[in-house]
Amino acid sequence: MKRKHGTLITGLLKKIAVEMGVTIHLEPKWGYVGQITLPDGRKRYFRNTMLDLNSLGSAEIAADKDYTDYFLKRLGYPTIPGRAFFSTRWNKTLETDNGPKNAYAYAKAIGFPVIVKPNSLTQGAGVTKVESREEFFAAVKRIERDDRVFLVQQLMHGHDYRIVVLDDEVISAYERLPLTVTGDGRLTIKQLLLKKQRTFDRIGRDTQINPQDPRITLELKRQQLTRGSIVKKGQVVQLLTNANLSTGGDAIDATKIIHPEWKTLACTLAREMNLRYIGIDVMVQGTLETPPNDYVVIEMNAAPGLDNYVTMGKEQEQIVERLYRKVVEALLK
């Protein structure tokens, strides 16, 4: 499924459009944005996975982790304990006492290790587990390059799942696993990482692993390893804390085993946040096979990308194609 031009969604929409009698025009240079002309002449637009389905206000809230957390709490959903803080420059501009120094005091109060993450970036960018003052301010400094607000949250443990909902139906569900490599007793961790990237490229997965990611350095240091270490055959080495597929993580499909009560919860949450199309990330003590009990909502995504999910196998390809067929049907309404 390797694509030289455009994205997964543009390729699928072009295919589906022919079958459903709609016309798609792609911006020709990059194939990243497009216009959909419906049979009755109405126009719909998309920018990669951002489709003309969700209302603007709700999508903007979903793109802001702190605001999302506020409304989820107000609706009664459990979320990760934490607070939002301003970057050094933004804190000074607003003349508040809610900057990195106060964030560090908060981190100490709730106890290390903590998670530091950008408020509005996606795909796991900048999400870092920190265990010391030095690690904390280094992580904040990296985040400040791209975001004016960051979150400090308690470190949570459990199974990380994404549940994708479209118009009151759970389309897919899968467990997300962090970036790892498995030793063969011969190659270094760096070589194993490059090998994993070559595998992604071969199967058409869009993920680009950053082998120099400073978060990888931190994780290896905690395990008393370096990129030059050779680990024994079969030994699994975790390289990142966050479980995003966009940073090289893997997935285990859970679409067939998700409990009906999870489906009800996810669809209700989507309705209450006024989002027709949504990816809901949850941390679960247990699995999606049993009814919701001990869990937190991590965050939401109003434009969930499935480029990485689709490479899991033929069945996942069919799920994704069926999803975008339903997307086009939803646009027809």
Side-chain angles (χ1 to χ4, degrees):
M1 293 189 65
K2 197 161 186 177
R3 298 174 298 280
K4 295 182 179 179
H5 182 74
T7 65
L8 168 72
I9 184 173
T10 58
L12 283 176
L13 287 176
K14 285 169 66 177
K15 175 184 177 182
I16 293 166
V18 174
E19 301 170 2
M20 300 188 66
V22 301
T23 303
I24 289 187
H25 171 76
L26 293 178
E27 180 277 326
K29 187 174 183 180
W30 302 109
Y32 193 73
V33 302
Q35 177 194 72
I36 302 173
T37 304
L38 304 181
D40 61 4
R42 288 177 296 156
K43 303 290 190 295
R44 297 289 184 266
Y45 294 85
F46 63 90
R47 183 178 187 270
N48 193 25
T49 57
M50 188 67 74
L51 299 146
D52 267 352
L53 285 173
N54 294 324
S55 66
L56 178 60
S58 296
E60 286 293 308
I61 293 295
D64 186 298
K65 296 179 178 64
D66 187 43
Y67 285 149
T68 295
D69 184 78
Y70 169 79
F71 285 106
L72 287 173
K73 284 178 180 174
R74 191 169 189 273
L75 290 166
Y77 294 97
T79 63
I80 300 175
R83 279 183 53 191
F85 297 89
F86 296 130
S87 67
T88 303
R89 183 176 179 181
W90 196 236
N91 186 58
K92 185 177 180 181
T93 300
L94 296 178
E95 298 181 341
T96 76
D97 58 355
N98 201 42
K101 290 183 180 179
N102 307 84
Y104 175 64
Y106 175 74
K108 285 200 301 181
I110 64 175
F112 286 105
V114 298
I115 294 294
V116 180
K117 64 168 66 171
N119 185 52
S120 59
L121 301 185
T122 60
Q123 301 183 331
V127 178
T128 309
K129 181 175 80 171
V130 297
E131 298 184 344
S132 67
R133 184 182 190 280
E134 181 183 5
E135 291 178 6
F136 181 88
F137 283 104
V140 170
K141 187 175 182 179
R142 289 193 296 270
I143 291 171
E144 287 180 327
R145 298 170 190 162
D146 301 302
D147 207 337
R148 299 184 297 187
V149 180
F150 64 95
L151 307 179
V152 178
Q153 296 179 328
Q154 285 186 9
L155 177 65
M156 306 295 289
H157 298 283
H159 294 274
D160 185 322
Y161 288 97
R162 168 161 289 187
I163 306 170
V164 181
V165 175
L166 172 64
D167 282 344
D168 267 342
E169 180 183 355
V170 171
I171 301 297
S172 70
Y174 52 92
E175 183 177 1
R176 306 186 303 173
L177 306 173
L179 172 65
T180 62
V181 292
T182 303
D184 63 0
R186 182 173 54 86
L187 297 178
T188 66
I189 289 175
K190 180 180 178 180
Q191 290 170 327
L192 291 170
L193 198 55
L194 294 174
K195 182 180 178 182
K196 190 160 197 169
Q197 181 65 67
R198 289 194 295 271
T199 299
F200 288 168
D201 295 340
R202 187 180 68 254
I203 65 176
R205 180 170 166 177
D206 287 347
T207 302
Q208 292 297 313
I209 301 170
N210 176 11
Q212 301 306 317
D213 192 323
R215 297 175 298 175
I216 293 178
T217 306
L218 280 178
E219 283 300 307
L220 289 174
K221 183 179 179 181
R222 289 174 185 135
Q223 299 169 70
Q224 298 183 322
L225 298 169
T226 69
R227 288 173 176 80
S229 299
I230 297 174
V231 294
K232 63 183 180 181
K233 186 174 182 179
Q235 180 179 343
V236 178
V237 179
Q238 182 172 317
L239 300 177
L240 289 175
T241 302
N242 62 291
N244 298 75
L245 303 190
S246 301
T247 52
D250 294 306
I252 300 173
D253 197 270
T255 308
K256 290 184 177 180
I257 58 93
I258 183 170
H259 193 278
E261 289 187 27
W262 271 111
K263 292 182 178 181
T264 299
L265 184 150
C267 291
T268 301
L269 190 158
R271 284 196 304 273
E272 291 185 321
M273 293 301 292
N274 193 33
L275 291 164
R276 296 176 63 186
Y277 180 43
I278 178 178
I280 303 167
D281 298 338
V282 292
M283 182 75 72
V284 180
Q285 303 303 312
T287 73
L288 293 187
E289 292 183 82
T290 56
N293 182 16
D294 190 358
Y295 75 96
V296 292
V297 180
I298 303 171
E299 57 189 61
M300 301 187 309
N301 191 322
L306 295 167
D307 298 58
N308 300 309
Y309 174 75
V310 77
T311 61
M312 290 169 55
K314 196 68 179 178
E315 187 173 354
Q316 283 69 37
E317 283 187 38
Q318 293 170 353
I319 289 172
V320 173
E321 183 167 337
R322 188 164 65 248
L323 182 149
Y324 283 116
R325 186 177 298 279
K326 288 180 177 292
V327 165
V328 174
E329 290 172 354
L331 290 172
L332 288 168
K333 296 177 182 178

